[in-house]
Amino acid sequence: MNTYLSSPVTALSGVGEARKKAYARLGIHTVKDLLYHFPRAFENRGDVRLLSDVQPGEKCSVILTVSTECRVSRIKGRMTLLKFRAFDDSGVCEITFFNQEFLRSVFPIGSVFRFYGKIEKTGNRTTMSSPAYEPYTESRPLPPLFSVYPLTEGLSQKIIATHIASILPVATAQIEDPLPEDIRLSEGLVSLAWALRQIHSPDDYQSLHEAKRRLAFDEFFRFALALGTMGKTPRTTGAPICQITDDVMHTFLSALPYKLTGAQARAVADIRRDMASDTAMSRMLVGDVGCGKTVCAAAAMYIAVKSGRQAALMAPTGILATQHAADLLPLFARLGIKGALLTGHTTPTQKKKIYAALISEDPAERLDIVIGTQALLSEGVGFAAPGLVITDEQHRFGVNQRATLSEKNAHAHLLCMSATPIPRSLALVLYGDLDVSRIDEMPPGRQRVDTFVVDESYRPRLDAFIRKNVAEGGQVYVVCPAVEEKPEEDEGLIPLWADFGRDSGDYGTAVARAPWEEKELPDMKAAVQFAEALAARMPELHIAYVHGKMKSAEKDKVMGDFAKGDVQVLVSTTVIEVGVNVPNACLMIVENAERFGLSQLHQLRGRVGRGQRKSYCILVRAGGGDTAKARLEVMRTTYDGYRIAEQDLSQRGPGDFLAPVSGAGIRQSGGFRLQVAEGWPDASLMDRAFNHARAILADDPALESYPLLREDLDSAFAMAGDILN
Ligand code: ADP
Ligand code: MG
C-alpha cells in the first residue's frame, strides 16, 4: 500500500502515544483508517435565520456583526466569562463564552461571523452560549453542512476534524480507486477521491448524497466480494460417506415423541441424500421459529454417528446451546449415543476431558456428539472422526467465525439452520453456495398469534391482560429494546445516512440506531427498570428479568426458571430473540416496538404460540409517528417471514441483515463495517453492487486481475481478524 496512507497516525502532528491509543479505540491506526472515519452526522449550519425568526431553544445559524468589545469578567475563582453583543437586521444577541479569554482578539467590533448553536430568548433578551463560529464573507459562502465525528475519550470533535482536514488533500490525491472504472462509470458513480473529500466536508446536500451513494456502493461491493472469496464451503469430495439403512433411521424416528411434519421429512430426506455422498453437504435449513429445525439437525447428527462419524452443533449463545443440549442429549442417550455440552463456562477440567474424548481413537471412549457455542472453535477442539458440522442461527456468526469453522472441518458435511428469512438478493450473497431446504409447515396444533399494535393509552388494559393470562396458567414475555437516549448535543443533527432525497424531518429513529457508535447501551436499565415498575404494579406475580450484560450463568438460571414455569413474566432485552422454546408462553409484549426491525418482531412473535394456549403478540408503540404506525401495521396483517423481510429491506435498508454478518462485535471498526450502506434505503444499489461482485468473482474467483481489490479485501480481512483475536 501507498506509504502515506499506510503511515501510522503518529505521523500526524499532535498525535503522540495518548492520542494514538485513543485512535486505536476507534479502530484507527493508519492515515487510511482515519480517512475512512466518516462523520456520524452533520450540523445543519446552512439553516441561517434572522434572530427574530428563531423560536426560543432552537438550534440554527445566524449571521451576526460584532457590535461591542469583548468584556471579560471573573466568576467563581478561576472561571472567566467573555461577553459581547452582535446583531443582524432583525435584532441583537448577547454571546458568551466560558474560560476562553483568548477569544477576545477573535471578535473585533465590526467582524462578521456565522454562529451556530442554541438560541435562547428570555423576556426581550436573546442569548447564545458558546456557539460555534466561522468568519463570514458574502463573497465566499460557507458550506451548509458541518461534520460531526464519532468520538472517544481523549479525542474531541475539534481534534479529529483538524486531523482529518490535514490529511484530506494528500490522502485523497494518493488513494487509488479499487473499483473497476467500467463499473464506476456504468453506475454513474463519482470518483473515490471526490467522494471521500465530500463525505468529510460536503459542499452541499447534493454532493453529500452523491458521495454517500458512491461509498455505500463500495461497502456493498466489498462485502459481497468478501463473502464471495472466503467462507465458501468448497464442494470438496473426500467427505465421509454417511449412509444408514431405513431400519436404522426408523429407530431414530420412533424415539421421537411426535411424527415429523411433511416439510421436516423432506428436509431430512435432503440431508440423508447429501450425506450419503462423498461430496460435502453444504445445506441451509430455513424456516420460521418453531417450525422444528432442531429435530432435523438431530436426524443429521444421528446419521453421522450411525455411520461411525462425529457431529458438532454450534449455537450463537450459551442459552441456546444449553437448551439444545437439554433437548438432544437425553434423546441421544436413549439411542446409545454419547454427547457433551461445551460452552464458555465449561470448567477447564471438564473441557480437557471433552477434548480428549473427542479425539479418542477408541470408539468406546469417544464422544459422538458435541453441542456448544463458539467455544467449539477454540484450538483445543479436534475430532477423531469428523463427519458433520451444524450451525444454528448462523447469521449470528461473523464472517471470520464461519471461515474458521469451515477451515477446521474442510471435509465434513455442513448444515446451517436459520430462522431469519432473508430477502432473495441478500441470500444469494450470504448463502449463494448453499443448497436450501425450506421448512414451510408448522407442527400440528400451532396457531396464528393474533397481533395488535397499541399505544401507551392501552397500558391499564395491557396490565389487566397480563394478569388474566397468568391467572389462566400462561406465561408472558415482555421485550424492551435497548433504548438509546438521544444525547442533547445530537439535537437538530442530520445523521450520516439520512436521505435528503426521500424525507426530511423525522430522523429520530435514524439517530437512535446509528450503529457504528459503540455506546454502552442502557439495555440493562431498560429491562431492570421495566421489570421493577411492573413488579410494583403486580406484586402478586413472579417477575424476573434478563439482559445482555448479565453473566451467562445468571441468564441461564433465569431462562431456566421461566422454562420451568417458576417465573410467570419474563422481562428481557432481545437476548431471548433466537431459539429458546417455552411452549407455555402465550403472550408476547414488545415495548417501543417502533425501534425494532419487522423481521426481528416476527422472530419475537415466534416465541409464543408454541403450545396449546391461544397466543397474542402486542406491539406497544411509544413514538415514531405515522411512518412507524404504518410499518407496524404490517405485523398485524402479515405472517409470512419472507414478505416481512422484504418490507424491512426496503424500509430500513439492509443493516439488520448484514450487520450481524459483517462482523459480530466489530461494527465500530471492522474491515467490513457498513458506515454508509447500513441504512441505505434504495435496495437496488445493493442489488447492483452485489451483481457486479458476483460477475467479477464468476470470472476471476481469486481476483487475480484486480490487484487493488484483492489488496483492499486482504487489508479488510486483516483488520477484522485483528479485532476478533
Ligand atoms: P426451531 O425451528 O425454531 O428451531 P424447534 O426445533 O425448537 O424450532 O421446535 C419447536 C418445538 O416444536 C419444539 O418443542 C419441538 O419439540 C416441537 N416440534 C418439532 N417438530 C415437531 C413435530 N413434527 N410435531 C410436534 N412438535 C414438534
Ligand atoms: Mg431453533
Side-chain angles (χ1 to χ4, degrees):
M1 202 212 286
N2 172 307
T3 49
Y4 181 66
L5 290 167
S6 56
S7 48
V9 283
T10 42
L12 303 179
S13 81
V15 183
E17 274 308 304
R19 281 184 183 159
K20 178 185 158 184
K21 277 206 188 108
Y23 269 126
R25 276 202 298 278
L26 291 171
I28 298 170
H29 306 280
T30 64
V31 168
K32 184 172 178 191
D33 298 339
L34 187 58
L35 183 63
Y36 273 87
H37 186 60
F38 298 158
R40 65 180 178 85
F42 299 90
E43 285 175 2
N44 187 10
R45 295 197 184 173
D47 180 18
V48 176
R49 314 269 197 87
L50 285 173
L51 283 170
S52 60
D53 291 345
V54 182
Q55 296 300 315
E58 247 188 309
K59 234 181 186 179
C60 64
S61 286
V62 284
I63 292 172
L64 306 179
T65 306
V66 177
S67 66
T68 64
E69 279 193 31
C70 295
R71 270 203 357 254
V72 177
S73 49
R74 212 156 283 280
I75 50 170
K76 281 201 236 156
R78 294 242 178 117
M79 277 251 271
T80 61
L81 192 65
L82 178 138
K83 238 185 210 187
F84 61 90
R85 277 200 208 133
F87 65 90
D88 65 13
D89 288 347
S90 72
V92 180
C93 180
E94 199 174 280
I95 296 177
T96 49
F97 288 93
F98 294 94
N99 288 335
Q100 298 186 64
E101 223 179 312
F102 60 91
L103 289 180
R104 193 196 284 265
S105 58
V106 173
F107 300 110
I109 291 180
S111 54
V112 185
F113 288 85
R114 179 172 77 177
F115 293 98
Y116 172 85
K118 196 178 251 185
I119 297 183
E120 302 290 356
K121 293 185 173 179
T122 34
N124 50 12
R125 259 178 85 214
T126 303
T127 56
M128 283 182 108
S129 176
S130 304
Y133 53 91
E134 298 155 284
Y136 175 85
T137 39
E138 219 159 307
S139 55
R140 249 193 62 216
L142 292 165
L145 293 165
F146 185 86
S147 305
V148 178
Y149 289 97
L151 300 180
T152 186
E153 213 182 303
L155 288 169
S156 66
Q157 279 306 334
K158 208 165 208 155
I159 292 167
I160 293 188
T162 310
H163 288 158
I164 287 180
S166 77
I167 65 159
L168 215 46
V170 182
T172 55
Q174 291 193 359
I175 198 151
E176 290 178 290
D177 193 343
L179 184 66
E181 184 79 353
D182 55 331
I183 296 180
R184 181 170 83 81
L185 294 177
S186 72
E187 291 297 332
L189 296 168
V190 298
S191 78
L192 180 59
W194 192 86
L196 288 169
R197 280 196 299 272
Q198 290 294 328
I199 193 96
H200 287 292
S201 173
D203 286 340
D204 49 42
Y205 290 90
Q206 199 51 45
S207 305
L208 178 60
H209 177 80
E210 289 306 325
K212 279 170 33 179
R213 205 168 77 84
R214 161 68 209 249
L215 296 167
F217 184 94
D218 283 9
E219 288 175 359
F220 287 133
F221 185 66
R222 185 194 284 126
F223 184 82
L225 286 179
L227 286 177
T229 53
M230 54 79 53
K232 293 276 161 186
T233 357
R235 296 303 168 110
T236 45
T237 52
I241 293 178
C242 297
Q243 212 162 13
I244 58 171
T245 63
D246 287 347
D247 278 354
V248 175
M249 192 74 226
H250 185 76
T251 308
F252 174 80
L253 296 176
S254 47
L256 298 176
Y258 46 72
K259 205 170 153 305
L260 293 187
T261 63
Q264 285 172 320
R266 281 193 295 280
V268 171
D270 290 344
I271 290 167
R272 204 174 153 194
R273 185 170 11 82
D274 287 355
M275 290 179 68
S277 148
D278 76 336
T279 301
M281 169 168 74
S282 216
R283 185 166 288 280
M284 165 89 136
L285 200 54
V286 246
D288 271 356
V289 257
C291 71
K293 294 182 288 295
T294 319
V295 68
C296 302
M301 295 169 99
Y302 177 82
I303 293 168
V305 172
K306 285 295 167 185
S307 312
R309 291 283 160 169
Q310 292 165 292
L313 168 58
M314 183 162 104
T317 64
I319 295 177
L320 213 50
T322 308
Q323 184 163 54
H324 281 324
D327 287 349
L328 298 182
L329 293 181
L331 168 71
F332 284 128
R334 285 201 300 278
L335 293 161
I337 293 171
K338 291 187 294 296
L341 170 69
L342 182 68
T343 67
H345 41 277
T346 305
T347 64
T349 332
Q350 278 174 306
K351 259 187 207 160
K352 260 203 197 129
K353 261 195 187 153
I354 294 174
Y355 293 172
L358 282 173
I359 51 169
S360 169
E361 290 300 333
D362 178 359
E365 304 248 303
R366 185 190 293 162
L367 272 177
D368 304 306
I369 276 169
V370 62
I371 296 174
T373 54
Q374 278 100 314
L376 290 179
L377 297 176
S378 20
E379 261 169 43
V381 179
F383 297 90
L388 171 70
V389 173
I390 305 177
T391 61
D392 193 11
E393 298 301 343
Q394 79 144 11
H395 72 284
R396 288 275 163 145
F397 299 106
V399 276
N400 295 59
Q401 288 154 318
R402 285 165 55 185
T404 314
L405 196 67
S406 49
E407 266 162 36
K408 275 185 97 128
N409 304 281
H411 296 291
H413 296 288
L414 185 71
L415 180 68
C416 314
M417 300 190 279
S418 175
T420 311
I422 289 184
R424 222 188 68 85
S425 52
L426 275 166
L428 270 174
V429 162
L430 295 178
Y431 310 120
D433 57 331
L434 302 178
D435 298 319
V436 175
S437 297
R438 190 171 290 177
I439 304 187
D440 52 7
E441 181 185 351
M442 284 287 170
R446 292 295 162 78
Q447 7 115 6
R448 165 164 295 203
V449 178
D450 283 345
T451 303
F452 301 94
V453 182
V454 303
D455 61 26
E456 203 50 42
S457 67
Y458 193 83
R459 184 69 60 195
R461 274 191 286 169
L462 196 50
D463 281 358
F465 198 52
I466 293 175
R467 288 197 185 89
K468 172 171 177 288
N469 277 281
V470 172
E472 291 170 0
Q475 285 169 279
V476 182
Y477 286 110
V478 181
V479 176
C480 308
V483 181
E484 227 175 304
E485 304 269 343
K486 203 156 66 161
E488 201 200 337
E489 68 267 19
D490 272 16
E491 229 177 85
L493 290 191
I494 303 169
L496 173 66
W497 42 305
D499 187 33
F500 309 111
R502 274 163 49 115
D503 53 49
S504 50
D506 181 18
Y507 297 124
T509 48
V511 170
R513 50 191 285 270
W516 53 89
E517 281 174 277
E518 199 94 322
K519 282 215 201 95
E520 276 283 293
L521 292 181
D523 84 329
M524 178 174 81
K525 194 175 120 202
V528 176
Q529 280 184 350
F530 198 91
E532 281 169 356
L534 208 58
R537 298 204 298 276
M538 318 179 177
E540 72 281 13
L541 302 189
H542 293 286
I543 299 172
Y545 57 80
V546 275
H547 57 72
K549 293 206 187 64
M550 272 159 83
K551 296 219 173 68
S552 323
E554 287 175 86
K555 265 191 277 196
D556 293 354
K557 163 98 174 64
V558 177
M559 293 302 302
D561 289 348
F562 187 66
K564 274 186 292 186
D566 294 348
V567 166
Q568 295 161 322
V569 181
L570 180 69
V571 181
S572 77
T573 51
T574 44
V575 286
I576 61 148
E577 186 191 342
V578 284
V580 185
N581 189 33
V582 182
N584 193 46
C586 60
L587 174 57
M588 164 63 68
I589 297 170
V590 184
E591 295 290 333
N592 287 94
E594 74 281 357
R595 290 180 182 259
F596 290 86
L598 296 182
S599 290
Q600 219 179 350
L601 291 174
H602 183 63
Q603 297 257 27
L604 289 171
R605 178 164 64 184
R607 307 275 110 236
V608 296
R610 297 180 149 219
Q612 303 309 310
R613 296 179 184 280
K614 170 80 199 125
S615 296
Y616 303 89
C617 172
I618 302 193
L619 306 174
V620 186
R621 188 168 65 82
D626 288 345
T627 334
K629 196 170 173 184
R631 211 163 61 80
L632 292 177
E633 274 301 298
V634 172
M635 294 302 296
R636 206 172 54 76
T637 50
T638 311
Y639 289 81
D640 174 341
Y642 280 88
R643 272 184 55 204
I644 288 175
E646 298 282 355
Q647 287 273 347
D648 238 6
L649 180 63
S650 64
Q651 290 173 354
R652 276 165 61 106
D656 289 348
F657 303 103
L658 296 186
V661 188
S662 71
I666 55 167
R667 285 175 154 195
Q668 190 178 19
S669 44
F672 301 102
R673 63 185 164 170
L674 304 165
Q675 293 186 86
V676 187
E678 213 244 355
W680 194 261
D682 170 13
S684 74
L685 187 76
M686 180 185 81
D687 284 349
R688 291 198 309 278
F690 285 0
N691 287 338
H692 284 298
R694 275 210 308 279
I696 285 185
L697 288 175
D699 283 350
D700 185 356
L703 298 176
E704 276 159 18
S705 7
Y706 300 92
L708 285 175
L709 280 179
R710 183 73 256 176
E711 192 184 298
D712 187 47
L713 279 188
D714 286 345
S715 65
F717 275 127
M719 206 165 149
D722 282 352
I723 287 148
L724 279 178
N725 293 331

